[in-house]
Amino acid sequence: HPYKWPTIGKEIAHIEQATMQDVKEFFYRFYRPNNAILCIAGDIDFDQTIEWVEKWYGSIAGSTNEPENIEKEPSQQAVRTMHCQADVPNSVLYKVFHMCGRKDGAYHTTDLLSDVLSAGNSSRFSKHLRTQQDLLGLEAYVMGSLDPGLFVFSAKLNENTSFELAEKVIDEHIEQIVKEQISDQEHQKIINRCISAQSFSQVELLNKAMNLCYYEFLSDASLINTELDRYKAVSKQDIQEVAQSIFRASNASVMYYKAQ
C-alpha cells in the first residue's frame, strides 16, 4: 500500500533516480481538471465566474487516469517492535494500532476516542501530565487517512523515565478505557468540543471553501451538513466497543526511539 512510505519517497534514492520524463508523466496523469475539485467562495457574480473557469480550465484536456487497484494491507497477527537510536533531544515511545479509514462508519467513534484521551486541558492525558509529571508529553491521535490507517500513542520521555514506564502509562490508560465506559461528563464534553470546532470552522471563508472541497473529495460536498450529526450519534458504548476492537496486543506496533 502506498501509505507504507512518505509521499516524496522512502529514501533519497527515489528522488535522485527520478527522471524529467517520470516527473512529466506523473504531472500530466494527475494534475488535470477531471482529477481536481474547484470551490469558489465569496461575493461573486455567478455567470462571470463560470466564464472565467471556462477560460482558464476549459481548454486543458482531461487525463485517462484510471483508479488504481490498491491492495489492502493484510491483518496484523502479532505485536511488532522496533528499537532505534538517533541524535534527537528526547527519547520517544510510539505505540500504534491499525484503525479504519476516513469513510468507515466507525471513524467518528475512533476520532472521539482519541479526544477523550488527549484533546484539551481536561483530557485524561493532560490530567496525567499535570499530576504525575513522569513524562514530558503524552498524546493520542488518529491519522484520518482515507484508507485504513493508524491510531497513534506517543510518549516523550524525560531523562529519568524508562521506556518500560512510558509504555506502562499508555497501557494503563488503554486498559481503563477498554474496561470502563467513559463518564457522562466526558461524553458531553467531547460532543461539545465537536460542536465548537464545527462552528469555528465556518467563520473564515477560506475554511468553508476548503471544507467543501474536502467533503466532495470524500464523495459528496453535502456531507458537510451531516458531519456533526455523525459525531453526536456516537454513544459511550460505541467508544468502548471501538477501544476493545482496536486496542489489542496483536494489533499493535511499538517503536522505542532512543536519544543518543
Side-chain angles (χ1 to χ4, degrees):
H1 194 283
Y3 284 170
K4 66 187 173 184
W5 55 43
T7 310
I8 200 169
K10 187 177 181 180
E11 52 195 37
I12 297 297
H14 287 166
I15 304 171
E16 294 174 335
Q17 295 171 6
T19 66
M20 179 58 71
Q21 186 61 32
D22 292 333
V23 175
K24 287 182 177 181
E25 288 177 357
F26 183 89
F27 177 83
Y28 288 118
R29 179 182 177 187
F30 293 103
Y31 288 81
R32 291 292 184 173
N34 61 308
N35 199 39
I37 297 168
L38 175 66
C39 178
I40 301 173
D43 184 13
I44 62 173
D45 179 280
F46 182 79
D47 293 333
Q48 178 66 75
T49 302
I50 295 299
E51 182 180 327
W52 283 335
V53 171
E54 290 292 342
K55 174 182 178 181
W56 295 110
Y57 295 97
S59 62
I60 303 176
S63 68
T64 57
N65 182 40
E66 295 292 333
E68 292 188 74
N69 183 23
I70 300 174
E71 293 185 14
K72 292 184 178 180
E73 286 287 310
S75 177
Q76 185 171 326
Q77 301 299 320
V79 64
R80 298 170 180 168
T81 60
M82 179 179 180
H83 295 261
C84 63
Q85 190 167 341
D87 185 14
V88 293
N90 301 98
S91 296
V92 183
L93 170 73
Y94 292 99
K95 189 163 192 172
V96 303
F97 295 84
H98 294 279
M99 61 166 283
C100 64
R102 181 62 178 79
K103 298 201 296 188
D104 191 279
Y107 173 80
H108 299 82
T109 305
T110 313
D111 191 22
L112 289 181
L113 171 60
S114 70
D115 283 354
V116 172
L117 293 168
S118 189
N121 293 329
S122 60
S123 66
R124 296 188 179 191
F125 281 3
S126 290
K127 290 178 179 178
H128 178 96
L129 291 173
R130 289 196 301 271
T131 58
Q132 302 300 318
Q133 298 181 342
D134 49 2
L135 296 167
L136 295 177
L138 186 60
E139 291 183 293
Y141 54 92
V142 298
M143 289 294 192
S145 47
L146 195 62
D147 281 353
L150 298 174
F151 189 110
V152 182
F153 289 94
S154 68
K156 185 181 295 184
L157 283 61
N158 60 37
E159 293 182 356
N160 301 317
T161 304
S162 65
F163 282 114
E164 290 76 18
L165 176 60
E167 190 166 7
K168 180 182 177 182
V169 169
I170 292 175
D171 288 343
E172 286 176 347
H173 280 284
I174 288 175
E175 183 179 9
Q176 182 182 8
I177 207 162
V178 164
K179 288 186 174 181
E180 303 174 13
Q181 288 188 10
I182 64 173
S183 67
D184 291 336
Q185 187 270 339
E186 283 180 306
H187 183 252
Q188 188 60 57
K189 181 188 66 176
I190 57 175
I191 297 299
N192 291 344
R193 185 179 180 86
C194 286
I195 295 173
S196 175
Q198 181 86 349
S199 299
F200 282 112
S201 71
Q202 301 303 319
V203 173
E204 296 291 336
L205 186 62
L206 176 61
N207 288 341
K208 289 182 181 180
M210 291 177 65
N211 286 336
L212 286 168
C213 284
Y214 176 70
Y215 285 102
E216 180 65 21
F217 167 71
L218 289 181
S219 66
D220 182 1
S222 66
L223 289 174
I224 194 172
N225 299 318
T226 59
E227 182 75 345
L228 187 56
D229 293 333
R230 295 171 188 268
Y231 281 107
K232 288 181 177 179
V234 175
S235 68
K236 297 187 298 180
Q237 181 178 349
D238 293 333
I239 292 174
Q240 183 184 28
E241 288 176 353
V242 162
Q244 292 169 343
S245 173
I246 65 176
F247 294 153
R248 295 173 286 102
S250 61
N251 193 41
S253 297
V254 190
M255 181 177 183
Y256 306 93
Y257 199 79
K258 184 177 176 59
Q260 289 179 346

